[in-house]
Each structure stands twice: as C-alpha cells, then as structure tokens.
Amino acid sequence: MSKSCPTNPSGPQPIALTPGEPAGVGPDITLFFMERALATQSLHPTIVFADKDLLKARAEKHKINIHFFSDDQAQSDPSLYSKGIVIHHIPLAQP
C-alpha cells in the first residue's frame, strides 16, 4: 500500500527523478520520458530535481513543447503533475 501525499491525501506520493550529469544525455532522456508519459497519461506524479533553465533550454533545442511547474505550484494544485514537468529547481553551480 502506498502512502498518500501530504498535499494530496487521496493520491500517491510523487517519485523523485534526477537527470544526472547536466552535460550528459540525462536531461534529454528525462524530457523525452516525461513527454511520452504525459502524452500517454501513464505518468505517476513525479518531481524532477534539476536546473529549470537547463531543462527549458534542452526542451527548446529538441522542440519539445511541454509545460514546467515548480514543486510549490504542484503542492497547491496536484493536478499539475499530469499537465507538465514539476521541477524542484536546483541551480547549476557557476565556475
């Protein structure tokens, strides 16, 4: 039995997803996965822990039309998990 999410007591807890090395293919694979899962409505609530600007730039590069929401927005409106990518923004380190 899965635990319920504190912000959505009737629903499952979100899965945390990290795309890995920002310079690698992980961010691209994350976007392709999320795009497919959202299109087929087969996505368990997921929070992506990544730099939102990096993911937006990669989505633009690959012409992936997808909405991005912050995890704070999703806490207020759990339906956003099925409408786009929910991101917990972790900025890339600057050299």
Side-chain angles (χ1 to χ4, degrees):
M1 182 164 103
S2 67
K3 295 181 181 179
S4 64
C5 179
T7 58
N8 184 17
S10 62
Q13 288 184 329
I15 293 172
L17 178 65
T18 60
E21 169 60 44
V25 298
D28 302 323
I29 292 170
T30 298
L31 288 166
F32 293 133
F33 165 76
M34 296 294 289
E35 178 186 41
R36 171 96 175 162
L38 288 164
T40 60
Q41 296 295 306
S42 61
L43 181 65
H44 182 90
T46 304
I47 298 175
V48 178
F49 286 74
D51 184 288
K52 68 180 177 195
D53 297 324
L54 170 71
L55 288 181
K56 286 180 178 181
R58 296 283 183 92
E60 186 176 308
K61 174 185 174 187
H62 293 294
K63 297 179 177 32
I64 296 173
N65 186 17
I66 199 162
H67 297 283
F68 293 89
F69 303 103
S70 72
D71 52 343
D72 290 334
Q73 290 173 300
Q75 285 182 359
S76 298
D77 182 2
S79 73
L80 296 178
Y81 286 108
S82 64
K83 297 177 181 175
I85 297 178
V86 175
I87 298 177
H88 179 84
H89 178 61
I90 300 175
L92 291 175
Q94 299 298 318

